[in-house]
Amino acid sequence: MELVFSDSAKKELESLAHELKALFLKHMEKMLEAPPRKHMKHGVLCHAEKVTKQARIIYNIKGDQIYILHCFGGHKEYERWYKSYK
């Protein structure tokens, strides 16, 4: 498996605090070994993975690549993005 980052995911990941960024990277390493496949609701064609209680990774899986779309460090950012699909 291979990770591919979108431009927005790169910016979001860089803007996170060092400790939270380390958690994201550690979680992405685990995703490479065994990617979870939990789909989102309301017609959102992405997968979501919890990093912490409020932080989320939004991604898609195509073949042997995991496309990281967003790295949300807070719940408000994630909710704003998620509600745009309802």
Side-chain angles (χ1 to χ4, degrees):
M1 300 290 294
E2 176 187 5
L3 290 177
V4 179
F5 291 86
S6 70
D7 291 336
S8 59
K10 287 179 187 176
K11 289 177 188 175
E12 292 162 353
L13 189 60
E14 289 299 318
S15 69
L16 295 174
H18 181 69
E19 297 83 21
L20 189 56
K21 188 178 185 178
L23 286 173
F24 269 84
L25 295 174
K26 192 175 196 178
H27 203 81
M28 288 177 194
E29 287 178 15
K30 288 181 185 178
M31 287 172 59
L32 286 173
E33 295 172 11
R37 304 200 183 250
K38 180 184 175 191
H39 273 284
M40 299 182 73
K41 298 177 183 177
H42 302 292
V44 180
L45 301 175
C46 302
H47 302 279
E49 185 66 23
K50 283 185 178 181
V51 176
T52 66
K53 189 174 180 179
Q54 295 187 354
R56 304 281 192 284
I57 299 173
I58 307 299
Y59 64 98
N60 277 330
I61 299 173
K62 292 183 184 173
D64 64 340
Q65 294 183 328
I66 300 174
Y67 292 93
I68 306 295
L69 304 173
H70 291 284
C71 297
F72 295 117
H75 194 66
K76 283 185 179 183
E77 301 152 356
Y78 167 71
E79 281 293 318
R80 193 174 312 123
W81 173 83
Y82 182 68
K83 286 182 180 181
S84 70
Y85 284 97
K86 287 185 178 182

Coordinates of all heavy atoms in Angstrom, one line a residue:
M1 N 0.8 -1.2 0.0 CA 0.0 0.0 0.0 C 0.9 1.2 0.0 O 2.0 1.2 0.5 CB -0.9 0.0 1.2 CG -1.9 -1.1 1.4 SD -3.2 -1.2 0.2 CE -4.2 0.2 0.6
E2 N 0.3 2.3 -0.5 CA 1.1 3.6 -0.6 C 0.1 4.7 -0.2 O -1.1 4.7 -0.5 CB 1.5 3.8 -2.1 CG 2.2 5.1 -2.4 CD 2.5 5.3 -3.8 OE1 2.0 4.5 -4.7 OE2 3.1 6.3 -4.1
L3 N 0.7 5.7 0.5 CA -0.1 6.9 0.8 C 0.1 8.0 -0.2 O 1.2 8.3 -0.6 CB 0.3 7.4 2.2 CG -0.1 6.6 3.4 CD1 0.5 7.2 4.7 CD2 -1.5 6.4 3.6
V4 N -1.0 8.6 -0.6 CA -1.0 9.8 -1.5 C -1.7 10.9 -0.9 O -2.9 10.7 -0.5 CB -1.5 9.4 -2.9 CG1 -1.5 10.6 -3.8 CG2 -0.8 8.2 -3.5
F5 N -1.1 12.1 -0.7 CA -1.8 13.2 0.0 C -2.3 14.2 -1.0 O -1.6 14.6 -1.9 CB -0.8 13.9 1.0 CG -0.4 13.1 2.2 CD1 0.7 12.1 2.1 CD2 -1.0 13.2 3.4 CE1 1.0 11.4 3.2 CE2 -0.7 12.5 4.5 CZ 0.4 11.5 4.4
S6 N -3.5 14.7 -0.7 CA -4.0 15.8 -1.4 C -3.3 17.1 -0.9 O -2.7 17.1 0.1 CB -5.5 16.0 -1.3 OG -5.8 16.4 0.0
D7 N -3.4 18.2 -1.7 CA -2.8 19.4 -1.3 C -3.4 19.9 0.0 O -2.6 20.4 0.9 CB -3.0 20.5 -2.4 CG -2.1 20.2 -3.6 OD1 -1.1 19.5 -3.5 OD2 -2.5 20.7 -4.7
S8 N -4.7 19.8 0.2 CA -5.3 20.3 1.4 C -4.9 19.4 2.6 O -4.7 20.0 3.7 CB -6.9 20.3 1.3 OG -7.4 19.0 1.0
A9 N -4.7 18.1 2.4 CA -4.3 17.3 3.5 C -2.9 17.6 3.9 O -2.6 17.6 5.1 CB -4.4 15.8 3.1
K10 N -2.0 17.9 3.0 CA -0.7 18.3 3.3 C -0.6 19.6 4.2 O 0.0 19.7 5.2 CB 0.2 18.6 2.1 CG 0.5 17.3 1.3 CD 1.3 17.7 0.1 CE 1.6 16.5 -0.8 NZ 2.2 16.8 -2.1
K11 N -1.4 20.6 3.8 CA -1.5 21.9 4.5 C -2.1 21.6 5.9 O -1.6 22.2 6.9 CB -2.4 22.9 3.7 CG -1.7 23.4 2.5 CD -2.6 24.3 1.8 CE -2.1 24.7 0.4 NZ -3.0 25.5 -0.4
E12 N -3.1 20.8 6.0 CA -3.8 20.6 7.3 C -2.8 19.8 8.2 O -2.8 20.1 9.4 CB -5.1 19.8 7.1 CG -6.1 20.6 6.4 CD -7.2 19.7 5.8 OE1 -7.1 18.5 5.8 OE2 -8.2 20.3 5.2
L13 N -2.1 18.9 7.7 CA -1.2 18.1 8.5 C 0.0 19.0 9.0 O 0.4 18.9 10.2 CB -0.6 16.9 7.7 CG 0.2 15.9 8.4 CD1 -0.7 15.2 9.6 CD2 0.7 14.8 7.5
E14 N 0.5 19.8 8.2 CA 1.6 20.7 8.5 C 1.2 21.7 9.6 O 2.0 22.2 10.4 CB 2.1 21.5 7.3 CG 2.9 20.6 6.4 CD 4.1 20.0 7.0 OE1 4.8 20.7 7.8 OE2 4.4 18.8 6.8
S15 N -0.1 22.1 9.6 CA -0.6 23.1 10.6 C -0.9 22.6 11.9 O -1.2 23.3 12.9 CB -1.8 23.9 10.0 OG -2.9 23.0 9.9
L16 N -0.9 21.3 12.1 CA -1.2 20.6 13.4 C -0.1 20.8 14.4 O 1.1 20.9 14.0 CB -1.5 19.1 13.2 CG -2.7 18.8 12.4 CD1 -2.7 17.3 12.1 CD2 -4.0 19.2 13.0
A17 N -0.4 20.7 15.6 CA 0.6 20.7 16.7 C 1.5 19.5 16.6 O 1.1 18.5 16.1 CB -0.1 20.8 18.1
H18 N 2.7 19.6 17.0 CA 3.7 18.5 16.9 C 3.2 17.2 17.4 O 3.4 16.1 16.8 CB 5.0 18.9 17.5 CG 6.1 17.9 17.4 ND1 6.7 17.6 16.2 CD2 6.6 17.1 18.3 CE1 7.6 16.6 16.4 NE2 7.6 16.3 17.7
E19 N 2.6 17.2 18.6 CA 2.1 16.0 19.3 C 1.0 15.3 18.4 O 1.0 14.1 18.2 CB 1.6 16.2 20.7 CG 2.7 16.7 21.6 CD 2.9 18.2 21.5 OE1 2.0 18.9 21.0 OE2 4.0 18.7 21.9
L20 N 0.1 16.1 18.0 CA -1.0 15.6 17.2 C -0.6 15.1 15.8 O -1.0 14.1 15.3 CB -2.1 16.7 17.0 CG -3.4 16.3 16.4 CD1 -4.1 15.2 17.2 CD2 -4.4 17.5 16.4
K21 N 0.4 15.8 15.3 CA 1.0 15.4 14.0 C 1.6 14.1 14.1 O 1.5 13.2 13.2 CB 2.0 16.5 13.5 CG 2.5 16.3 12.2 CD 3.5 17.5 11.9 CE 4.0 17.5 10.5 NZ 4.9 18.6 10.3
A22 N 2.3 13.8 15.2 CA 2.9 12.5 15.4 C 1.9 11.4 15.5 O 2.1 10.3 15.0 CB 3.8 12.6 16.7
L23 N 0.8 11.7 16.2 CA -0.3 10.7 16.3 C -0.9 10.4 14.9 O -1.2 9.2 14.6 CB -1.4 11.2 17.2 CG -1.2 11.2 18.7 CD1 -2.3 11.9 19.4 CD2 -1.0 9.8 19.2
F24 N -1.1 11.4 14.1 CA -1.6 11.2 12.7 C -0.6 10.3 11.9 O -1.1 9.4 11.3 CB -1.7 12.6 12.0 CG -3.1 13.2 12.1 CD1 -3.4 13.9 13.2 CD2 -4.1 13.0 11.1 CE1 -4.7 14.5 13.4 CE2 -5.3 13.6 11.3 CZ -5.6 14.3 12.4
L25 N 0.7 10.6 12.0 CA 1.6 9.8 11.2 C 1.7 8.4 11.7 O 1.8 7.5 10.9 CB 3.0 10.5 11.3 CG 3.1 11.9 10.6 CD1 4.4 12.5 10.8 CD2 2.8 11.8 9.1
K26 N 1.6 8.2 13.0 CA 1.6 6.8 13.5 C 0.4 6.1 13.1 O 0.5 4.9 12.7 CB 1.7 6.9 15.1 CG 2.0 5.7 15.8 CD 2.1 5.9 17.3 CE 2.8 4.8 18.0 NZ 2.9 5.1 19.4
H27 N -0.7 6.8 13.1 CA -2.0 6.1 12.6 C -1.9 5.8 11.2 O -2.4 4.7 10.7 CB -3.2 7.0 13.0 CG -4.4 6.3 13.1 ND1 -4.8 5.7 14.2 CD2 -5.4 6.1 12.2 CE1 -6.0 5.1 14.1 NE2 -6.4 5.4 12.8
M28 N -1.3 6.6 10.4 CA -1.2 6.3 8.9 C -0.3 5.1 8.7 O -0.6 4.4 7.7 CB -0.7 7.6 8.2 CG -1.7 8.7 8.1 SD -1.0 10.1 7.3 CE -2.3 11.4 7.8
E29 N 0.7 4.9 9.5 CA 1.5 3.8 9.3 C 0.7 2.5 9.6 O 0.9 1.5 8.9 CB 2.7 3.8 10.3 CG 3.8 4.8 10.0 CD 4.9 4.9 11.0 OE1 5.0 4.0 11.9 OE2 5.6 5.9 11.0
K30 N -0.2 2.5 10.6 CA -1.0 1.4 10.8 C -2.0 1.1 9.7 O -2.3 0.0 9.3 CB -1.8 1.6 12.1 CG -1.0 1.5 13.4 CD -1.9 1.7 14.6 CE -1.1 1.8 15.9 NZ -2.0 2.0 17.0
M31 N -2.5 2.2 9.1 CA -3.4 2.1 7.9 C -2.7 1.4 6.7 O -3.4 0.7 6.0 CB -3.9 3.5 7.5 CG -4.9 4.1 8.5 SD -5.3 5.8 8.1 CE -6.0 5.7 6.4
L32 N -1.4 1.6 6.6 CA -0.7 1.0 5.5 C -0.7 -0.6 5.6 O -0.8 -1.3 4.7 CB 0.7 1.5 5.4 CG 0.9 2.9 4.8 CD1 2.3 3.4 5.0 CD2 0.4 3.0 3.4
E33 N -0.6 -1.0 6.9 CA -0.6 -2.4 7.1 C -1.9 -3.1 7.0 O -2.0 -4.1 6.4 CB 0.0 -2.7 8.5 CG 1.4 -2.3 8.7 CD 1.9 -2.3 10.2 OE1 1.1 -2.9 11.0 OE2 2.9 -1.8 10.5
A34 N -2.9 -2.5 7.5 CA -4.3 -3.0 7.5 C -5.3 -1.9 7.4 O -5.8 -1.4 8.4 CB -4.6 -3.9 8.7
P35 N -5.6 -1.4 6.2 CA -6.5 -0.2 6.1 C -7.9 -0.6 6.6 O -8.5 -1.5 6.1 CB -6.5 0.1 4.6 CG -6.0 -1.1 3.9 CD -5.2 -1.9 4.9
P36 N -8.5 0.2 7.5 CA -9.9 0.1 7.9 C -10.8 0.5 6.7 O -10.4 1.4 5.9 CB -10.0 1.0 9.1 CG -8.9 2.0 9.0 CD -7.8 1.3 8.2
R37 N -12.0 0.0 6.7 CA -12.8 0.3 5.5 C -14.2 0.8 6.0 O -15.2 0.3 5.5 CB -12.9 -0.9 4.6 CG -11.6 -1.4 4.2 CD -11.7 -2.2 3.0 NE -10.4 -2.7 2.6 CZ -9.8 -2.3 1.5 NH1 -10.3 -1.4 0.7 NH2 -8.6 -2.8 1.2
K38 N -14.2 1.7 6.9 CA -15.5 2.2 7.4 C -16.0 3.3 6.5 O -15.3 4.4 6.4 CB -15.4 2.7 8.9 CG -16.6 3.3 9.4 CD -16.4 3.8 10.8 CE -17.7 4.5 11.3 NZ -17.5 5.3 12.4
H39 N -17.1 3.1 5.8 CA -17.6 4.2 5.0 C -18.4 5.2 5.8 O -18.9 4.9 6.8 CB -18.6 3.6 3.9 CG -17.9 3.1 2.7 ND1 -17.4 4.0 1.7 CD2 -17.6 1.9 2.3 CE1 -16.9 3.3 0.8 NE2 -16.9 2.0 1.1
M40 N -18.5 6.4 5.3 CA -19.3 7.4 5.9 C -20.8 7.3 5.4 O -21.1 6.7 4.4 CB -18.7 8.8 5.6 CG -17.3 8.9 6.1 SD -16.6 10.5 5.8 CE -17.5 11.5 7.0
K41 N -21.6 8.0 6.1 CA -23.1 8.0 5.8 C -23.4 9.2 4.9 O -22.6 10.0 4.6 CB -23.9 8.1 7.1 CG -23.7 6.9 8.0 CD -24.5 7.0 9.3 CE -24.2 5.9 10.2 NZ -24.9 6.1 11.5
H42 N -24.7 9.3 4.5 CA -25.3 10.4 3.8 C -24.6 10.5 2.4 O -24.4 11.6 1.9 CB -25.1 11.7 4.6 CG -25.8 11.7 5.9 ND1 -27.2 11.6 6.0 CD2 -25.3 11.7 7.1 CE1 -27.5 11.6 7.3 NE2 -26.4 11.6 8.0
G43 N -24.3 9.4 1.8 CA -23.8 9.5 0.4 C -22.3 10.0 0.2 O -21.9 10.3 -0.9
V44 N -21.6 10.2 1.3 CA -20.2 10.6 1.2 C -19.4 9.4 0.8 O -19.4 8.4 1.5 CB -19.7 11.2 2.6 CG1 -18.3 11.7 2.5 CG2 -20.6 12.3 3.0
L45 N -18.7 9.6 -0.3 CA -18.0 8.4 -0.8 C -16.5 8.4 -0.3 O -15.6 8.3 -1.1 CB -18.0 8.5 -2.4 CG -19.4 8.5 -3.0 CD1 -19.3 8.7 -4.5 CD2 -20.1 7.2 -2.6
C46 N -16.3 8.5 0.9 CA -15.0 8.5 1.6 C -15.0 7.6 2.8 O -16.1 7.1 3.2 CB -14.7 9.9 2.1 SG -14.6 11.2 0.8
H47 N -13.9 7.4 3.3 CA -13.7 6.6 4.6 C -13.2 7.6 5.6 O -12.6 8.6 5.3 CB -12.6 5.5 4.4 CG -12.9 4.5 3.4 ND1 -13.8 3.5 3.6 CD2 -12.5 4.4 2.1 CE1 -13.9 2.8 2.5 NE2 -13.1 3.3 1.6
A48 N -13.6 7.4 6.9 CA -13.2 8.2 8.0 C -12.5 7.3 9.0 O -13.0 6.2 9.3 CB -14.3 9.0 8.6
E49 N -11.4 7.8 9.6 CA -10.7 7.1 10.6 C -10.5 8.1 11.8 O -9.9 9.2 11.6 CB -9.4 6.6 10.1 CG -8.7 5.7 11.0 CD -9.4 4.4 11.3 OE1 -10.2 4.0 10.5 OE2 -9.1 3.9 12.4
K50 N -10.8 7.6 13.0 CA -10.6 8.4 14.2 C -9.1 8.3 14.6 O -8.6 7.2 14.7 CB -11.4 7.9 15.4 CG -12.8 8.4 15.3 CD -13.5 7.9 16.6 CE -15.0 8.4 16.6 NZ -15.7 8.0 17.8
V51 N -8.5 9.4 14.9 CA -7.1 9.4 15.3 C -7.1 9.7 16.9 O -6.5 9.0 17.6 CB -6.3 10.5 14.6 CG1 -4.9 10.6 15.2 CG2 -6.2 10.2 13.2
T52 N -7.9 10.6 17.3 CA -8.2 10.9 18.7 C -9.7 11.0 18.8 O -10.4 10.8 17.9 CB -7.5 12.2 19.2 OG1 -8.1 13.3 18.5 CG2 -6.0 12.2 19.0
K53 N -10.2 11.5 20.0 CA -11.6 11.6 20.2 C -12.2 12.6 19.2 O -13.3 12.5 18.7 CB -11.9 12.1 21.6 CG -13.3 12.1 22.0 CD -13.5 12.4 23.4 CE -15.0 12.4 23.8 NZ -15.2 12.7 25.2
Q54 N -11.4 13.7 18.8 CA -11.9 14.7 17.9 C -11.2 14.7 16.5 O -11.8 15.3 15.6 CB -11.8 16.0 18.5 CG -12.7 16.1 19.7 CD -12.8 17.5 20.3 OE1 -12.0 18.4 19.9 NE2 -13.6 17.8 21.3
A55 N -10.0 14.2 16.4 CA -9.3 14.3 15.2 C -9.6 13.2 14.2 O -9.9 12.0 14.6 CB -7.8 14.2 15.5
R56 N -9.7 13.5 12.9 CA -10.1 12.5 11.9 C -9.2 12.6 10.7 O -8.7 13.6 10.3 CB -11.5 12.7 11.4 CG -12.6 12.8 12.5 CD -13.0 11.4 12.9 NE -14.2 11.3 13.7 CZ -14.3 11.7 14.9 NH1 -13.2 12.1 15.5 NH2 -15.4 11.6 15.6
I57 N -9.0 11.4 10.0 CA -8.4 11.3 8.7 C -9.5 10.9 7.7 O -10.2 10.0 8.0 CB -7.3 10.2 8.7 CG1 -6.2 10.6 9.7 CG2 -6.8 10.1 7.3 CD1 -5.2 9.5 9.8
I58 N -9.7 11.7 6.7 CA -10.6 11.4 5.6 C -9.8 10.8 4.4 O -8.9 11.5 4.0 CB -11.4 12.6 5.2 CG1 -12.1 13.3 6.4 CG2 -12.5 12.3 4.1 CD1 -13.0 12.4 7.2
Y59 N -10.2 9.7 3.9 CA -9.4 9.1 2.8 C -10.3 8.2 1.9 O -11.4 7.9 2.2 CB -8.3 8.2 3.4 CG -8.8 7.0 4.2 CD1 -8.8 5.8 3.7 CD2 -9.2 7.2 5.6 CE1 -9.3 4.7 4.4 CE2 -9.7 6.1 6.3 CZ -9.7 4.9 5.7 OH -10.2 3.8 6.4
N60 N -9.7 7.8 0.8 CA -10.3 6.9 -0.2 C -9.2 5.8 -0.5 O -8.0 6.1 -0.4 CB -10.7 7.6 -1.5 CG -12.0 8.2 -1.4 OD1 -12.9 7.8 -0.7 ND2 -12.2 9.3 -2.2
I61 N -9.7 4.6 -0.8 CA -8.8 3.6 -1.2 C -9.1 3.2 -2.7 O -10.2 2.9 -3.0 CB -9.0 2.3 -0.3 CG1 -8.7 2.7 1.2 CG2 -8.1 1.2 -0.8 CD1 -9.0 1.6 2.1
K62 N -8.1 3.2 -3.5 CA -8.2 2.8 -4.9 C -7.0 1.9 -5.2 O -5.8 2.4 -5.2 CB -8.2 4.0 -5.8 CG -9.4 4.9 -5.7 CD -9.4 6.0 -6.6 CE -10.6 6.9 -6.4 NZ -10.6 8.1 -7.2
G63 N -7.3 0.7 -5.4 CA -6.2 -0.3 -5.7 C -5.3 -0.5 -4.5 O -5.8 -0.8 -3.4
D64 N -4.0 -0.2 -4.7 CA -3.1 -0.4 -3.6 C -2.6 1.0 -3.1 O -1.6 1.1 -2.5 CB -1.9 -1.2 -4.0 CG -1.1 -0.5 -5.1 OD1 -1.6 0.3 -5.8 OD2 0.1 -0.9 -5.3
Q65 N -3.5 2.0 -3.3 CA -3.1 3.4 -2.8 C -4.2 3.9 -1.9 O -5.4 3.7 -2.1 CB -3.0 4.4 -4.0 CG -1.8 4.0 -4.9 CD -1.6 5.1 -6.0 OE1 -2.6 5.6 -6.5 NE2 -0.4 5.3 -6.3
I66 N -3.8 4.6 -0.9 CA -4.7 5.2 0.1 C -4.5 6.7 -0.2 O -3.4 7.3 0.0 CB -4.3 4.9 1.5 CG1 -4.5 3.4 1.8 CG2 -5.3 5.7 2.5 CD1 -4.0 3.0 3.1
Y67 N -5.6 7.4 -0.6 CA -5.6 8.8 -0.9 C -6.1 9.6 0.3 O -7.2 9.5 0.7 CB -6.5 9.2 -2.1 CG -6.0 8.6 -3.4 CD1 -6.3 7.4 -3.9 CD2 -5.0 9.3 -4.2 CE1 -5.9 6.9 -5.1 CE2 -4.5 8.8 -5.3 CZ -4.9 7.6 -5.8 OH -4.4 7.1 -7.0
I68 N -5.2 10.3 1.0 CA -5.5 11.1 2.2 C -6.1 12.4 1.6 O -5.4 13.2 1.0 CB -4.3 11.3 3.1 CG1 -3.6 10.0 3.4 CG2 -4.7 12.1 4.3 CD1 -4.4 9.1 4.3
L69 N -7.4 12.6 1.9 CA -8.1 13.8 1.5 C -8.0 15.0 2.5 O -7.8 16.1 2.1 CB -9.5 13.5 1.1 CG -9.7 12.4 0.1 CD1 -11.2 12.0 0.0 CD2 -9.1 12.8 -1.2
H70 N -8.2 14.7 3.7 CA -8.2 15.7 4.8 C -7.6 15.1 6.1 O -7.8 13.9 6.4 CB -9.6 16.2 5.1 CG -10.2 17.0 4.0 ND1 -9.8 18.3 3.7 CD2 -11.1 16.7 3.1 CE1 -10.5 18.7 2.7 NE2 -11.3 17.7 2.2
C71 N -7.0 16.0 6.9 CA -6.5 15.7 8.2 C -7.1 16.7 9.2 O -6.5 17.8 9.3 CB -5.0 15.7 8.2 SG -4.2 14.5 7.2
F72 N -8.2 16.4 9.8 CA -8.9 17.4 10.7 C -8.4 17.2 12.1 O -8.5 16.1 12.7 CB -10.4 17.2 10.6 CG -11.0 17.5 9.3 CD1 -11.6 16.6 8.5 CD2 -10.9 18.8 8.8 CE1 -12.2 16.9 7.3 CE2 -11.4 19.1 7.5 CZ -12.1 18.2 6.8
G73 N -7.8 18.2 12.7 CA -7.3 18.2 14.1 C -8.4 18.5 15.1 O -8.3 18.1 16.2
G74 N -9.5 19.0 14.7 CA -10.6 19.4 15.6 C -12.0 18.9 15.0 O -12.2 18.8 13.8
H75 N -12.9 18.8 15.9 CA -14.2 18.3 15.6 C -15.0 19.3 14.8 O -15.8 19.0 13.9 CB -15.0 17.9 16.8 CG -16.2 17.1 16.5 ND1 -16.1 15.8 16.0 CD2 -17.5 17.3 16.7 CE1 -17.4 15.4 15.8 NE2 -18.2 16.3 16.2
K76 N -14.8 20.6 15.1 CA -15.6 21.7 14.4 C -15.2 21.7 12.9 O -16.1 21.8 12.0 CB -15.3 23.0 15.0 CG -16.0 23.3 16.2 CD -15.8 24.7 16.7 CE -16.5 25.0 18.0 NZ -16.3 26.4 18.4
E77 N -14.0 21.5 12.5 CA -13.6 21.5 11.1 C -14.2 20.3 10.4 O -14.6 20.4 9.3 CB -12.0 21.4 11.0 CG -11.3 22.6 11.7 CD -9.9 22.2 12.2 OE1 -9.6 21.0 12.1 OE2 -9.2 23.1 12.7
Y78 N -14.1 19.2 11.1 CA -14.6 17.9 10.5 C -16.1 18.0 10.3 O -16.6 17.7 9.3 CB -14.3 16.7 11.5 CG -15.1 15.5 11.1 CD1 -14.8 14.8 10.0 CD2 -16.1 15.0 12.0 CE1 -15.5 13.6 9.7 CE2 -16.8 13.9 11.7 CZ -16.5 13.2 10.6 OH -17.2 12.0 10.3
E79 N -16.9 18.5 11.3 CA -18.3 18.7 11.2 C -18.7 19.6 10.1 O -19.6 19.4 9.4 CB -18.9 19.2 12.5 CG -19.1 18.1 13.6 CD -20.1 17.1 13.2 OE1 -21.2 17.4 12.7 OE2 -19.8 15.9 13.4
R80 N -18.0 20.7 9.9 CA -18.3 21.7 8.9 C -18.1 21.0 7.5 O -18.9 21.2 6.6 CB -17.3 22.9 9.0 CG -17.7 24.0 8.1 CD -16.8 25.3 8.4 NE -16.6 25.6 9.8 CZ -15.4 25.7 10.4 NH1 -14.3 25.5 9.7 NH2 -15.3 26.0 11.7
W81 N -17.1 20.2 7.3 CA -16.8 19.5 6.1 C -17.9 18.4 5.9 O -18.5 18.3 4.8 CB -15.4 18.9 6.1 CG -15.2 18.0 4.9 CD1 -14.8 18.4 3.7 CD2 -15.4 16.6 4.9 NE1 -14.7 17.3 2.9 CE2 -15.0 16.2 3.6 CE3 -15.8 15.6 5.8 CZ2 -15.1 14.8 3.2 CZ3 -15.8 14.3 5.4 CH2 -15.5 13.9 4.1
Y82 N -18.2 17.7 6.9 CA -19.2 16.6 6.8 C -20.6 17.1 6.5 O -21.3 16.6 5.7 CB -19.2 15.8 8.1 CG -20.1 14.6 8.2 CD1 -19.9 13.5 7.4 CD2 -21.2 14.6 9.0 CE1 -20.7 12.4 7.4 CE2 -22.1 13.5 9.0 CZ -21.8 12.4 8.2 OH -22.6 11.4 8.3
K83 N -21.0 18.2 7.1 CA -22.3 18.8 6.9 C -22.5 19.3 5.5 O -23.6 19.5 5.0 CB -22.6 19.9 7.9 CG -22.9 19.3 9.3 CD -23.3 20.4 10.3 CE -23.6 19.7 11.6 NZ -24.0 20.7 12.6
S84 N -21.4 19.6 4.8 CA -21.5 20.1 3.4 C -22.1 19.1 2.5 O -22.5 19.4 1.4 CB -20.1 20.6 2.9 OG -19.3 19.5 2.7
Y85 N -22.1 17.8 2.9 CA -22.6 16.7 2.1 C -24.1 16.4 2.3 O -24.7 15.7 1.6 CB -21.8 15.4 2.3 CG -20.5 15.5 1.6 CD1 -19.4 15.8 2.3 CD2 -20.4 15.2 0.2 CE1 -18.1 15.9 1.6 CE2 -19.2 15.2 -0.4 CZ -18.1 15.6 0.3 OH -16.9 15.6 -0.4
K86 N -24.6 16.9 3.4 CA -26.1 16.7 3.7 C -27.0 17.5 2.9 O -26.8 18.5 2.5 CB -26.3 16.9 5.2 CG -25.7 15.8 6.1 CD -26.0 16.1 7.5 CE -25.5 15.0 8.4 NZ -25.8 15.2 9.8

